[in-house]
């Protein structure tokens, strides 16, 4: 029977199911200091979300010649908080749950797209301050505008399909996705990131955070955005990131909000999380949420079920099946 540490929370039913199989589950968030001191050596498996950083040092401290981690489960999609190379070198299996939260993040992105273009959060803030801004808060329609998707995986495709129903034209940049998928979805696939910014008044980020994508959205790219929709409406430029903090250069985005080059910036993810006292929060056209794209009852339940079956399979010594079935996926 195994010992499992769940450090960033997990659906209660999932914890019950793992426990019912006879495994011991400890639900507790550990500080960086505790992780570095090797607290995870006492566990066979750890399940994390994004808050626990399993760096090289932490992973090396989590194994010794006799005991230690054999399984890392990422309850979610992004694995940028896990040093996979170090885990692999130490014979630790790493699995994520890549599909469970797709619908929730798609809906969150659409919510941000609508909220920013129709000033919903700004209007709400004004109402709460007794300001009836009926004349001031004129938005623009999504219809007749171009949406650029940076990354064209499952979430971006879902966002694109809904945006298309609103009457948006779709553009995407993703060097890894087959052309046929984009063609089927009536989305124009571009060979370079810049042309997305040049053509689109609305850009939504859906790639992983890697060395290649760090600050991919910078001032020179934001400055390429046209500000005028395909329908000739002066709709301004709108940027959304519900993928990972660090892909948008927040300082550059703030400068663009201040100059008016960006009419709105909607972020669910931040370079430094938890994001407290971020200078963006003082700008009226910034719309923020605290990394809650996957925070729905449905997504968390699906993540729990998927993670539970991975852990149960792992302890049932089906490690090879797991590796075959659940290689880390974007
Ligand atoms: C994910 O990568 O699954 C999401 O960003 C959710 C999270 O990290 O909690």
């Amino acid at each position: 029977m195994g010992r499992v540490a769940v450090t960033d929370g997990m659906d209660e039913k999932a914890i019950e199911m793992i426990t019912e199989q006879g495994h011991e589950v400890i639900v507790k968030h550990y500080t960086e200091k505790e992780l570095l001191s090797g607290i995870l050596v006492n566990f066979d498996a750890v399940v994390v979300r994004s808050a626990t950083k399993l760096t090289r040092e932490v992973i090396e401290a989590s194994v010794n010649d006799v005991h230690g981690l054999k399984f890392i489960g990422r309850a979610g999609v992004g694995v940028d908080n896990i040093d996979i190379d170090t885990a692999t070198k130490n014979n630790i299996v790493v699995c994520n749950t890549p599909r469970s939260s797709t619908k929730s993040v798609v809906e969150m992105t659409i919510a941000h797209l609508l909220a920013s273009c129709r000033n919903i959060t700004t209007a709400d803030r004004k109402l709460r301050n007794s300001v009836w801004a009926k004349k001031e808060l004129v938005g623009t329609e999504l219809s007749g505008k171009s949406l650029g998707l940076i990354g064209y995986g499952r979430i971006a495709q879902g966002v694109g399909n809904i945006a298309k129903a609103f009457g948006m034209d779709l553009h995407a940049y993703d060097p890894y996705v087959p052309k046929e998928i984009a063609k089927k979805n009536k989305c124009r696939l571009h060979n370079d990131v810049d042309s997305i910014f040049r053509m689109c008044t609305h850009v939504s980020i859906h790639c992983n955070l890697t060395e290649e994508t760090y600050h991919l959205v910078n001032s020179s790219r934001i400055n390429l955005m046209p500000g005028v929709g395909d329908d000739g409406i002066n709709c301004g430029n709108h940027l959304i990131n519900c993928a990972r903090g660090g892909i948008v250069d927040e300082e550059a985005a703030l400068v663009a909000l201040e100059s008016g080059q960006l009419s709105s910036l909607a972020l669910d993810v931040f370079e430094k999380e938890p994001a407290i006292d971020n200078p963006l929060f003082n700008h009226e056209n910034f719309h923020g949420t605290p990394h809650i794209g996957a925070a729905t009852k449905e997504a968390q339940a699906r993540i729990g079920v998927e993670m539970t079956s991975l852990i149960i399979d792992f302890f049932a010594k089906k490690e090879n099946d797991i590796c075959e079935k659940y290689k880390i996926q974007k």
Side-chain angles (χ1 to χ4, degrees), residues 248-265:
V248 173
D249 176 346
E250 291 173 11
E251 270 179 42
L254 180 57
V255 171
L257 280 174
E258 280 163 354
S259 73
Q261 173 60 11
L262 270 186
S263 297
S264 76
L265 171 69

Side-chain angles (χ1 to χ4, degrees), residues 262-292:
L262 270 186
S263 297
S264 76
L265 171 69
L267 298 184
D268 183 49
V269 290
F270 298 84
E271 188 158 345
K272 186 167 174 284
E273 294 182 7
I276 309 287
D277 290 337
N278 186 314
L280 286 167
F281 299 167
N282 299 321
H283 201 284
E284 185 165 273
N285 296 331
F286 168 77
H287 309 272
T289 43
H291 202 151
I292 52 172

Side-chain angles (χ1 to χ4, degrees), residues 100-119:
S100 305
S101 53
T102 304
K103 286 185 196 160
S104 296
V105 183
V106 167
E107 290 181 9
M108 186 72 178
T109 308
I110 295 292
H112 268 302
L113 191 57
L114 288 167
S116 13
C117 295
R118 297 306 304 272
N119 303 302

Side-chain angles (χ1 to χ4, degrees), residues 49-50 74 76-78 244 291 294:
R49 288 178 65 184
S50 51
R74 168 64 168 95
V77 186
R244 262 302 168 275
H291 202 151

Side-chain angles (χ1 to χ4, degrees), residues 143-196:
S143 171
K145 316 297 184 300
S146 278
L147 173 65
L149 300 158
I150 308 291
Y152 195 56
R154 278 177 291 271
I155 295 172
Q157 290 169 38
V159 168
N161 289 341
I162 296 174
K164 195 165 54 189
F166 281 125
M168 300 191 90
D169 270 343
L170 304 182
H171 299 258
Y173 170 77
D174 190 328
Y176 307 104
V177 85
K179 285 194 183 80
E180 298 69 45
I181 293 184
K183 198 171 165 204
K184 190 182 96 210
N185 291 331
K186 298 194 169 49
C187 173
R188 186 171 153 197
L189 205 55
H190 293 251
N191 290 328
D192 69 303
V193 187
D194 287 0
S195 71
I196 298 285

